[in-house]
Amino acid sequence: QVHLVESGGGSVQAGGSLNLSCVVSGYSADSYYMGWFRQSPGEEREGVAAINTNSGDTYYADSVKGRFTISQDNAKNTLYLQMNSLKPEDTGMYYCAHEGEVVVVHALSPAEYQYWGQGTQVTVSS
């Protein structure tokens, strides 16, 4: 069973930065997809960024390219999302996800991830 714990959310002014962290435990495979997703009230969950932990390939939603960076620290079993130049439309609950036993084809598709953290709230005010 994979266990994911996110942290680092908060409230910032537009233009500010936050760095989200996700500590992963309970999975031993060397290569898997992990991603960050977000959801606002009344909206569907959407993919923000994803990474293949073996190849290091990264994937970003168009809305965050150039502002967000996904990275991993294998020694700490931690996934990060550095968010810069934040906008009010970035507001939402941010979730970390792990593919688990599912074979991810579309890295930013929430439906293709098996395990999820509890989420961390990000609020950006104008």
Side-chain angles (χ1 to χ4, degrees):
Q1 181 76 18
V2 177
H3 190 52
L4 308 170
V5 179
E6 303 100 330
S7 62
S11 296
V12 297
Q13 297 273 1
S17 297
L18 285 172
N19 189 25
L20 305 184
S21 299
C22 173
V23 178
V24 185
S25 60
Y27 201 79
S28 60
D30 293 330
S31 176
Y32 44 86
Y33 280 88
M34 289 199 66
W36 287 98
F37 299 80
R38 67 187 179 193
Q39 188 168 20
S40 301
E43 301 289 331
E44 293 187 356
R45 193 169 296 187
E46 63 172 346
V48 174
I51 187 168
N52 180 298
T53 64
N54 184 42
S55 68
D57 290 342
T58 56
Y59 309 82
Y60 296 95
D62 288 342
S63 60
V64 306
K65 282 180 181 176
R67 299 189 299 121
F68 291 11
T69 302
I70 188 171
S71 62
Q72 58 180 347
D73 184 333
N74 291 335
K76 296 182 178 179
N77 293 325
T78 302
L79 182 74
Y80 301 99
L81 184 68
Q82 176 65 44
M83 305 186 295
N84 298 327
S85 302
L86 282 162
K87 303 175 181 180
E89 51 264 43
D90 294 319
T91 294
M93 186 70 78
Y94 281 70
Y95 299 91
C96 172
H98 186 292
E99 69 169 345
E101 301 302 322
V102 176
V103 177
V104 169
V105 176
H106 304 97
L108 295 178
S109 172
E112 299 191 22
Y113 288 77
Q114 183 174 3
Y115 298 106
W116 294 84
Q118 81 289 350
T120 186
Q121 178 67 37
V122 171
T123 303
V124 184
S125 58
S126 57

